[in-house]
Amino acid sequence: MKILYHHRIRSKDGQAVHLEELVGAMRKQGHTVRVVGPAAFANAEFGYEPGVLAKAKMLLPAWLYEIAELCYNVPAFARLWAAYLNFRPDFVYERYNLYCVAGIWLKKLTSIPILLEVNAPLASERRRYGGLAFPEVARALEEWTWRNASTVLPVTKVLADGIQNAGIPPVQIEVIPNGIDPERFESASSAEAAKAEIGVAGKVVVGFAGFARDWHRLDTIIALLARPSLPVNVHALIVGEGPAIEKLKVLSHDLGVADRVTFAGLIPRDAVPKFVAAFDIALLPSCVAYCSPLKLFEYMALGKAIVAPDQPNIREILSPGSSALLFAPGAEESMGKAVLQLVSNEALRDRLGRAARSLISARDLTWQRNSERVTALGAALVAALGRRPLVAQ
């Protein structure tokens, strides 16, 4: 089939990983995929953050920035329309973004099916964390976008429930969590070899991989190291960049544990398996209630003992005591106890890691399977319109 992938991603972070992995899996299946999005994203290196956009968001009044977001639909639709006429896709796959309605415009104009991937309820998220000048407009447009998509693809059941509560029929919703490409992790070094290469040989490594932001609460990892009850051979390995990193470095110095923390910085995607392989304990200190954390699947693929918040979206993937140790969200003491338990119990670490890794194959939590589900949904929508999928050239 011919698939038009539309997005408004600007940062080359976890969003980009999702895009590239899913598009790659679709192409492996033999489908032809054309990606339409901001030009700066297409040419950017991994880790790119659009500084001009961030500056505009900071300097412009919120109402003016949101009007600019709405106006973006004009060039976005022009690009989509040109791609549609030139490419003649079977369906559109779009990554949902607030105020981005160009894909729905195309559907209304041409009747082409659109599958809408939803990773967050952005109207309420931005109202809570970033502020919105027009919250009611944002909410109404969000619900209008969801309602007018052919199928809505939330990444968790928690998110699906919220979408259904907004009036979207269950028959229009299909949960597709994030996944992993197991081949990327098959050649990862052993834990011992990875530790030696990174410079943490002989340590019990507590690790985190991802773009570090304040809400990830990585300060709890640093504070944990300062506890007298934690053995001195425990070492934190934080992989990735982000706005929280400089504060974490200052905190590690202030608490006197700078020599027990390694900040690996931004690494190439191909190097992620090596660094995660060095973890003995993989931490997810905090996550929002509706997300499907990409790092969780990376931890699982390499068979790491995971410590994560005990909340419904995490339980959709992991079971407490069976495939991970889960702690009360926001409870540092509870997280600390889980880490201490794993630090002193290698057998438990191994058991949890094996169980987590087995879930990847048992539940087929892969990008390839996600691609199969997406393209099957797309084919059904095309057939319902009485069309035959086009043969990829």
Side-chain angles (χ1 to χ4, degrees):
M1 284 192 297
K2 299 174 76 174
I3 303 163
L4 187 60
Y5 189 119
H6 180 236
H7 73 94
R8 206 192 73 186
I9 303 171
R10 297 184 183 276
S11 302
K12 274 284 180 90
D13 52 15
Q15 302 173 85
V17 172
H18 193 152
L19 184 158
E20 291 171 6
E21 291 285 7
L22 184 58
V23 167
M26 289 173 174
R27 287 172 175 161
K28 278 184 184 178
Q29 275 188 272
H31 304 294
T32 301
V33 185
R34 180 170 296 186
V35 179
V36 177
F41 174 89
N43 301 317
E45 297 291 327
F46 189 64
Y48 167 77
E49 289 278 355
V52 173
L53 187 67
K55 198 166 187 179
K57 193 171 186 179
M58 186 169 39
L59 295 176
L60 291 176
W63 65 267
L64 185 55
Y65 184 82
E66 288 170 47
I67 288 173
E69 287 184 283
L70 282 166
C71 291
Y72 170 84
N73 284 289
V74 175
F77 179 76
R79 284 196 296 266
L80 262 180
W81 179 244
Y84 173 80
L85 293 177
N86 176 263
F87 186 51
R88 293 295 178 181
D90 291 297
F91 68 89
V92 174
Y93 184 95
E94 179 170 284
R95 183 183 175 101
Y96 167 68
N97 210 311
L98 191 62
Y99 290 135
C100 188
V101 296
I104 301 300
W105 287 352
L106 184 69
K107 174 179 180 284
K108 286 188 170 293
L109 186 64
T110 66
S111 298
I112 189 169
I114 178 167
L115 279 70
L116 188 71
E117 172 199 313
V118 180
N119 290 272
L122 292 175
S124 60
E125 182 177 272
R126 276 182 53 178
R127 185 173 190 173
R128 181 179 303 172
Y129 297 111
L132 280 173
F134 308 117
E136 295 307 316
V137 173
R139 183 186 58 79
L141 269 181
E142 179 168 79
E143 293 179 4
W144 180 85
T145 304
W146 293 348
R147 189 165 53 251
N148 284 280
S150 306
T151 304
V152 183
L153 307 176
V155 293
T156 60
K157 186 179 182 303
V158 173
L159 189 49
D161 290 344
I163 292 170
Q164 187 176 334
N165 290 339
I168 314 305
V171 71
Q172 199 178 332
I173 302 170
E174 184 79 18
V175 177
I176 300 185
N178 286 329
I180 199 77
D181 178 0
E183 291 182 7
R184 284 188 181 273
F185 295 83
E186 285 174 356
S187 59
S189 308
S190 67
E192 293 74 17
K195 287 181 184 181
E197 192 172 346
I198 295 167
V200 291
K203 307 292 186 182
V204 177
V205 177
V206 179
F208 172 91
F211 283 80
R213 295 181 170 87
D214 288 340
W215 62 264
H216 280 124
R217 294 306 314 276
L218 298 182
D219 56 309
T220 58
I221 300 176
I222 309 298
L224 197 60
L225 293 176
R227 293 188 179 193
S229 56
L230 202 70
V232 293
N233 68 327
V234 177
H235 193 92
L237 175 57
I238 297 176
V239 181
E241 277 294 346
I245 290 295
E246 288 308 313
K247 294 184 216 173
L248 295 172
K249 289 179 179 178
V250 170
L251 180 63
S252 68
H253 281 281
D254 290 347
L255 294 180
V257 295
D259 60 334
R260 296 173 63 189
V261 185
T262 296
F263 292 96
L266 184 67
I267 61 171
R269 279 184 59 200
D270 290 344
V272 169
K274 177 183 74 175
F275 280 84
V276 175
F279 296 178
D280 292 294
I281 301 164
L283 273 186
L284 184 66
S286 177
C287 70
V288 293
Y290 41 76
C291 72
S292 178
L294 282 167
K295 60 182 64 62
L296 202 63
F297 299 93
E298 295 172 345
Y299 297 163
M300 293 166 68
L302 284 167
K304 298 304 168 183
I306 298 169
V307 175
D310 190 357
Q311 51 194 56
N313 59 328
I314 301 300
R315 282 181 177 246
E316 288 180 32
I317 305 296
L318 299 169
S319 300
S322 172
S323 49
L325 293 187
L326 304 184
F327 61 90
E332 293 181 35
E333 190 62 36
S334 177
M335 186 186 78
K337 285 180 180 178
V339 172
L340 272 174
Q341 185 180 357
L342 289 171
V343 163
S344 60
N345 194 333
E346 185 176 354
L348 178 59
R349 296 201 302 265
D350 290 343
R351 178 174 67 78
L352 291 174
R354 284 195 305 271
R357 182 169 50 206
S358 71
L359 290 173
I360 297 289
S361 55
R363 297 180 54 188
D364 208 355
L365 298 169
T366 63
W367 293 116
Q368 194 62 45
R369 177 56 182 152
N370 286 2
S371 171
E372 291 168 1
R373 293 179 65 192
V374 165
T375 52
L377 288 167
L381 290 167
V382 171
L385 291 173
R387 302 174 183 169
R388 293 182 61 187
L390 299 174
V391 177
Q393 299 295 322

